[in-house]
């Protein structure tokens, strides 16, 4: 039996003048994994894998900006409250990317990229959905190095050790063990990614239903995990006694469920083309065909 889970002693390594931060590295590795998975799934649907790279060029920056904005809006005291440091709002390497903002803004970027590539957004979203969960799972390792995203005290044998400073900051005695909520979400996300791949293969989901299923799987896990969190990165904005992230999980789950059902009724199968417009024969191709006869 595991007695406890230690936290890494450091999350930054100096490579000469360049700091290598575990959080940033985890985010980058997660993005690479998501793109890799999406390319394979897009190719399996008959698309050009490079299209995923072109769309990611728009979606990733939008997602990072949106994730940070959401975190700042829902946890403003640390940066703009009494004793806060506004400039810290720019330090995304210290943690604090809200997934809701990342998905919302990332979707806008993906829409722009998909339009520029002449492909439909829904099959792109279906292709990238499992990769998103894998990326989020990898990103949680960055939270582990930053000693954030931990839950309430526990006596379970897999309790998480944090530094004395983090324990005191959370209002507990040094040496207290906490629920490793970063690990709970990591495992939940990887399991959810496997479910998405299985469901997509078995039921041939299309028209965005894999993506809506992704939202349902993630929010159902985030709901109970969020209730355990007490770390300083958790949202401090409450509505009716619950943090805004909990309410967002509830609303997003219900919205995704409705969308999944409605889309399934209108489009029970899978798209026959990934393109916004069917391919047309160019005039020069017609002339070449005539000359070859």
């Amino acid at each position: 039996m595991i007695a406890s889970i230690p936290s890494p002693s450091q999350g930054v390594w100096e490579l000469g003048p360049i700091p290598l931060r575990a959080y940033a590295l985890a985010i980058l590795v997660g993005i690479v994994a998501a793109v890799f998975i999406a390319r394979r799934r897009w190719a399996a649907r008959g698309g050009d894998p490079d299209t995923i790279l072109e769309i990611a060029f728009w979606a990733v920056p939008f997602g990072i900006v949106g994730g940070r904005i959401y975190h700042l809006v829902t946890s403003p005291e640390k940066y703009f409250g009494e004793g806060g440091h506004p400039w810290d709002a720019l330090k995304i390497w210290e943690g604090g990317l809200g997934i809701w903002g990342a998905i919302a803004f990332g979707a806008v970027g993906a829409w722009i990229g998909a339009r520029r590539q002449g492909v439909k957004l829904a099959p792109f979203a279906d292709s990238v959905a499992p990769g998103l969960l894998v990326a989020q799972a990898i990103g949680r390792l960055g939270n582990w190095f930053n000693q954030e995203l931990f839950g309430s005290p526990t006596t379970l044998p897999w309790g998480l050790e944090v530094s004395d400073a983090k324990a005191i900051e959370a209002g507990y005695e040094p040496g207290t063990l906490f629920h490793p909520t970063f690990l709970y979400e990591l495992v939940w996300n990887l399991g959810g990614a496997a479910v998405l791949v299985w469901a997509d293969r078995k039921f041939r989901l299309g028209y965005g239903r894999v993506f809506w299923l992704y939202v349902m799987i993630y929010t159902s896990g985030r709901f109970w995990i969020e209730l355990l969190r007490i770390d300083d990165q958790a949202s401090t904005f409450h509505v009716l006694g619950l943090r805004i992230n909990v309410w967002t999980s509830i609303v997003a789950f219900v919205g995704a469920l409705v969308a999944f059902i409605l889309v399934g009724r209108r489009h029970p199968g899978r798209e026959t083309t990934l393109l916004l417009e069917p391919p047309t024969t160019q005039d020069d191709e017609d002339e070449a065909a005539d000359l070859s006869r």
Side-chain angles (χ1 to χ4, degrees):
M1 293 290 291
I2 301 174
S4 62
I5 300 175
S7 290
S9 58
Q10 67 181 98
V12 183
W13 299 268
E14 301 294 338
L15 298 179
I18 302 175
L20 180 62
R21 304 180 184 277
Y23 184 84
L25 183 61
I27 296 297
L28 291 175
V29 173
I31 291 172
V32 171
V35 170
F36 175 79
I37 294 171
R39 280 170 55 88
R40 291 178 63 88
R41 288 174 53 78
W42 185 259
R45 291 196 175 202
D48 180 0
D50 289 340
T51 298
I52 298 297
L53 296 176
E54 297 293 336
I55 299 176
F57 176 80
W58 290 90
V60 171
F62 271 71
I64 292 175
V65 172
R68 189 59 172 177
I69 290 175
Y70 181 90
H71 173 72
L72 296 177
V73 169
T74 57
S75 303
E77 290 83 1
K78 180 179 179 181
Y79 309 97
F80 310 110
E82 184 178 353
H85 302 284
W87 283 110
D88 288 349
L90 302 177
K91 299 178 180 179
I92 62 173
W93 54 85
E94 293 183 354
L97 290 176
I99 186 61
W100 315 116
I103 293 298
F105 277 62
V108 174
W111 178 79
I112 295 174
R115 296 286 296 182
R116 291 174 62 89
Q117 293 299 309
V119 299
K120 298 178 179 179
L121 180 61
F124 167 79
D126 285 343
S127 297
V128 78
L132 289 177
L133 281 175
V134 173
Q136 289 168 237
I138 296 173
R140 289 313 178 203
L141 293 175
N143 298 125
W144 180 42
F145 276 89
N146 279 359
Q147 296 192 39
E148 59 192 8
L149 199 66
F150 57 84
S152 55
T154 181
T155 57
L156 293 171
W158 54 82
L160 177 68
E161 301 174 16
V162 300
S163 68
D164 292 348
K166 285 288 185 179
I168 294 173
E169 188 176 280
Y172 294 92
E173 294 292 329
T176 302
L177 299 180
F178 301 90
H179 278 287
T181 45
F182 84 91
L183 181 60
Y184 297 165
E185 188 170 326
L186 186 156
V187 174
W188 182 274
N189 288 346
L190 291 180
V195 170
L196 287 182
V197 173
W198 169 82
D200 190 26
R201 289 177 178 176
K202 183 173 180 60
F203 302 106
R204 292 188 58 79
L205 302 175
Y207 295 94
R209 283 188 292 166
V210 180
F211 179 80
W212 294 123
L213 183 58
Y214 148 73
V215 175
M216 286 189 284
I217 289 175
Y218 179 71
T219 53
S220 60
R222 185 63 182 266
F223 173 80
W224 65 267
I225 292 171
E226 191 70 28
L227 292 175
L228 291 173
R229 287 184 62 183
I230 62 168
D231 65 288
D232 62 342
Q233 291 292 347
S235 172
T236 56
F237 184 49
H238 288 70
V239 177
L240 298 178
L242 295 177
R243 287 197 302 272
I244 188 64
N245 285 344
V246 177
W247 285 111
T248 304
S249 296
I250 296 172
V251 173
F253 178 89
V254 173
L257 177 60
V258 172
F260 184 88
I261 294 173
L262 293 179
V263 171
R265 288 179 176 177
R266 294 184 60 185
H267 305 287
R270 181 179 287 181
E271 298 91 343
T272 56
T273 178
L274 304 176
L275 304 177
L276 286 171
E277 298 179 0
T280 57
T281 303
Q282 302 296 321
D283 293 337
D284 54 348
E285 293 176 346
D286 290 337
E287 294 175 1
D290 291 336
L291 292 175
S292 64
R293 292 174 182 172

